């Protein structure tokens, strides 16, 4: 019978967040697959545990994943950990979990620290509906395209960001969503210098344009205000253009018809359609 893959979250800054179940799972697993064994050995030392470890990081998912699967299939149990937080959330693990699913190997996720949930909970932004967008691309064009695809998004949006990209990302967000869009900037969560700033994209972009950011950040951005009832958005226009194109109209004619029927600016709709 196959062994089980346990997804074991680890603290995102405060060792007090280690749970009893997390420690017991690490202790009972036959082996640990770790994003960086040098980081995980410190946690094991803290817990007074000694365990065989294998590396499982983003550059080795194929080869290491196969070796881990074989051991699971042979009946061993494995605890997967990353450097901090929940495995498979912007961290290695997603592919391994999918492969276990395909091959019928049981997966058990232990609940625990996760930066996005911690940030959302403390943000003061609406939590009923949200979208997690992970890290934006390094490349400016791709980053902008990602943000533009979220222009009409009404749900709260959560992003991870590295400090060296923060200033550029905040500037792009302010340009795309507006200077006044509310933002909760969560820095160094659970750590000594934890800081939660409820601000706007414009103010944060201006501040970090001048001051170098330090630490780890989660950005929680308020969703777009819903359109007043009956009003149509550019996205509705783009959907209609797409439909009309499918019916054989040229781009120009589709834009003309959609703009007229939905009461949108023809130039704005054309520019948006061309960008797509
Ligand atoms: N799997 C992790 C989780 O469950 O949160 C996320 C790993 S991802 C590689 C690392 C990113 O998470 C950082 O760049 C930052 O955006 C966010 N992060 C992790 N720890 C954080 C903390 N203590 N405070 C703020 N953000 C944090």
């Amino acid at each position: 019978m196959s062994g089980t893959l346990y997804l074991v979250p680890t603290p995102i800054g405060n060792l007090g967040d280690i749970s009893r179940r997390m420690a017991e799972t690490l202790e009972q697993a036959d082996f640990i697959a770790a994003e960086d064994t040098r980081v995980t050995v410190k946690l094991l030392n803290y817990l007074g545990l000694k365990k065989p470890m294998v590396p499982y990081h983003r550059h080795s998912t194929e080869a290491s994943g196969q070796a881990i699967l074989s051991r699971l299939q042979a009946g061993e149990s494995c605890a997967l950990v990353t450097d901090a937080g929940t495995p498979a959330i912007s961290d290695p693990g997603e592919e391994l979990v999918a492969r276990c699913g395909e091959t019928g190997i049981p997966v058990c996720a232990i609940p625990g620290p996760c930066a996005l949930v911690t940030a959302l909970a403390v943000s003061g932004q609406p939590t009923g509906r949200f979208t997690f967008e992970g890290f934006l691309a390094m490349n400016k064009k791709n980053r902008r395209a990602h943000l533009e695809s979220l222009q009409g998004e009404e749900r709260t949006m959560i992003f991870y960001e590295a400090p060296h990209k923060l200033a550029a990302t905040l500037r792009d967000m302010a340009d795309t969503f507006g200077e006044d869009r509310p933002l909760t900037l969560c820095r160094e969560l659970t750590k000594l210098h934890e800081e939660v700033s409820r601000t706007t994209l414009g103010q944060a972009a201006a501040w970090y344009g001048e001051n170098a950011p330090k630490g780890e950040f989660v950005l929680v951005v308020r969703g777009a205000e819903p359109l007043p009832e009956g009003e149509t958005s550019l996205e509705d226009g783009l959907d209609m253009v797409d439909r009309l194109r499918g019916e054989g109209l040229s781009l120009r004619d589709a834009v003309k018809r959609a703009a007229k029927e939905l009461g949108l600016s023809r130039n704005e709709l054309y520019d948006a359609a061309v960008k797509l």
Side-chain angles (χ1 to χ4, degrees), residues 55-66:
Y56 183 73
H57 49 77
R58 62 190 81 251
H59 306 295
S60 76
T61 52
E62 192 57 44
S64 318
Q66 191 46 56

Side-chain angles (χ1 to χ4, degrees), residues 12-13 35 58 82 84-91 113-116 135 159-163 186-191 216-218:
I12 56 170
E35 181 181 15
R58 62 190 81 251
T82 61
T86 300
I89 304 299
S90 290
D91 256 348
C114 181
L116 85 95
F135 287 99
F159 300 86
Y160 282 166
E161 196 45 289
C186 303
R187 189 173 84 85
E188 296 286 85
L189 290 165
T190 76
K191 301 186 194 175
E216 297 196 275
F217 291 83
V218 182

Side-chain angles (χ1 to χ4, degrees), residues 191-228:
K191 301 186 194 175
L192 186 62
H193 298 292
E194 170 169 322
E195 190 177 46
V196 176
S197 322
R198 297 186 180 86
T199 175
T200 62
L201 287 174
Q203 279 173 355
W207 173 261
Y208 284 110
E210 306 268 307
N211 300 278
K214 282 201 196 109
E216 297 196 275
F217 291 83
V218 182
L219 283 63
V220 186
V221 181
R222 178 80 56 89
E225 289 297 326
L227 287 173

Side-chain angles (χ1 to χ4, degrees), residues 138-156:
M138 297 278 267
N139 170 289
K140 185 174 174 71
K141 193 163 160 246
N142 295 345
R143 192 167 66 225
R144 283 270 185 167
H146 186 157
L147 292 174
E148 273 160 23
S149 75
L150 293 168
Q151 231 161 9
E153 179 56 69
E154 292 176 9
R155 293 171 295 178
T156 298

Side-chain angles (χ1 to χ4, degrees), residues 65-129:
Q66 191 46 56
I68 294 168
L69 275 183
S70 303
R71 291 180 70 171
L72 286 163
Q73 276 164 331
E76 288 187 81
S77 63
C78 170
L80 177 67
V81 295
T82 61
D83 293 350
T86 300
I89 304 299
S90 290
D91 256 348
E94 182 183 347
E95 289 169 34
L96 189 58
V97 172
R99 292 188 68 187
C100 285
E102 285 156 17
T103 43
I105 295 170
V107 179
C108 174
I110 313 287
C114 181
L116 85 95
V117 176
T118 311
L120 177 65
V122 78
S123 70
Q125 307 289 354
T127 60
R129 295 180 69 218

